[in-house]
Amino acid sequence: MSGVKSQLQKKAENAVSEKKQPSNMREWIKAMEPEIKKALPSVITPERFTRMALTAITVNPKLANCTPKSFMGALMNAAQLGLEPNTQLGQAYLIPYENKRQVNGQWVKVPEVQFQIGYKGLIDLAHRSSEFTSIQAHEVYENDQFEYEYGLEPKLVHKPAMEDRGKVKYYYAVYRLKNGGYGFEVMSRQDVLSHAKSYSQSYNSQYSPWTNNFDEMAKKTVLKKVLKYAPIKVEFQRSVAEDGSIKTELAGDMSEVQNENVFESDSYEVTDDEGKNEDKESGQENDQQEIK
């Protein structure tokens, strides 16, 4: 009899637990405020971060259709990195995707949230590493004076035109270390475009920063390329590794949580099969190790 009571008690407890379960994304955010507070840096208050999360859902309603765990995982990533998601600062983005999950032996598409670091967020993280005295990325327009060369005596000269600069032709990133070392990388706009089409999961999404802030994402791409050769700390590398991740668990250190992104096709993609095939072929010539 006691066994029966035990089972009934468990069912009752489960029923109560289910009733307490948040029913929508806004309730999930409110329920997770204590955990978010623990992860937030002192420069961001829990109230402000919660407002940003709610604003992100308002601006991009498709986030509310994603799994709550992936949304909270992306939020926690932003919180621990001290980056504001989906704001005008361009530090980080929460983007809805159709991730692939195996259910009953079959692969199905599940709407989940991917965390992306923005161009300005990447620079902010680099400055926090205390290795750099300067780190920048710029557009080069067709009427600017621009020269560069690699080799034993690398050179980079950029003199912007005072007016009528024309269209963007190149992007470059440059850093200088405290010990006097420096480095730079240059990519043409076409190179960036080919890279984005071939490697970025968000390129064709209407909510993607590639769609709304192409120049910012281009500068982020060239920044990541130049930072591969910089003597950066492990902590900074871990932060950058969070870019493009989908996580459905929360932890005191989100870098220890497994990335579950097995994304293959964007749920809000404008399809162009012919263009995709061309991009994939051209992508084989690019650096396969570049981070999306």
Side-chain angles (χ1 to χ4, degrees), residues 119 122-129 132-138 173-177 183 223-224 226-227 230 232 236:
Y119 146 70
L122 189 61
I123 289 182
D124 189 26
L125 291 172
H127 278 302
R128 289 187 218 164
S129 70
F132 304 89
T133 58
S134 175
I135 179 168
Q136 305 174 41
H138 297 281
V174 58
Y175 69 81
R176 185 174 293 278
L177 301 169
L223 267 171
K224 280 193 168 184
V226 74
L227 286 173
I232 54 181
F236 177 64

Side-chain angles (χ1 to χ4, degrees), residues 233-251:
K233 295 180 179 179
V234 174
E235 183 178 344
F236 177 64
Q237 292 176 337
R238 287 178 179 172
S239 298
V240 176
E242 295 302 294
D243 189 34
S245 64
I246 292 177
K247 299 187 176 184
T248 58
E249 296 181 13
L250 303 183

Side-chain angles (χ1 to χ4, degrees), residues 87-201:
T87 69
Q88 294 297 320
L89 293 178
Q91 291 184 333
Y93 302 94
L94 309 182
I95 303 178
Y97 286 114
E98 282 190 346
N99 201 15
K100 297 192 73 177
R101 297 281 181 182
Q102 196 166 23
V103 179
N104 298 326
Q106 293 186 339
W107 288 98
V108 297
K109 294 180 179 180
V110 179
E112 295 187 320
V113 181
Q114 186 190 65
F115 171 72
Q116 285 193 12
I117 300 174
Y119 146 70
K120 294 180 181 178
L122 189 61
I123 289 182
D124 189 26
L125 291 172
H127 278 302
R128 289 187 218 164
S129 70
S130 70
E131 296 289 334
F132 304 89
T133 58
S134 175
I135 179 168
Q136 305 174 41
H138 297 281
E139 304 97 325
V140 179
Y141 294 81
E142 56 188 357
N143 292 331
D144 293 352
Q145 180 183 339
F146 184 65
E147 300 177 40
Y148 75 97
E149 60 182 58
Y150 297 115
L152 295 177
E153 296 182 6
K155 180 178 71 172
L156 177 67
V157 177
H158 180 205
K159 296 181 179 180
M162 297 303 293
E163 57 185 18
D164 189 23
R165 298 180 67 185
K167 297 180 180 179
V168 175
K169 191 174 182 180
Y170 299 101
Y171 299 90
Y172 72 91
V174 58
Y175 69 81
R176 185 174 293 278
L177 301 169
K178 287 186 175 180
N179 63 9
Y182 66 91
F184 67 85
E185 285 289 339
V186 180
M187 294 181 71
S188 68
R189 192 179 191 283
Q190 186 57 49
D191 285 342
V192 171
L193 188 61
S194 296
H195 171 83
K197 289 180 178 180
S198 299
Y199 298 104
S200 173
Q201 298 166 345

Side-chain angles (χ1 to χ4, degrees), residues 16 24 53 70 94 109 129 170 185 205 223 262 270 272:
V16 172
N24 56 55
S70 68
L94 309 182
K109 294 180 179 180
S129 70
Y170 299 101
E185 285 289 339
S205 171
L223 267 171
V262 288
V270 178
D272 181 352

Side-chain angles (χ1 to χ4, degrees), residues 20-35:
K20 291 181 179 179
Q21 192 85 341
S23 60
N24 56 55
M25 200 69 78
R26 293 175 184 269
E27 290 182 6
W28 271 96
I29 295 170
K30 292 294 184 182
M32 289 303 299
E33 273 188 344
E35 294 301 316

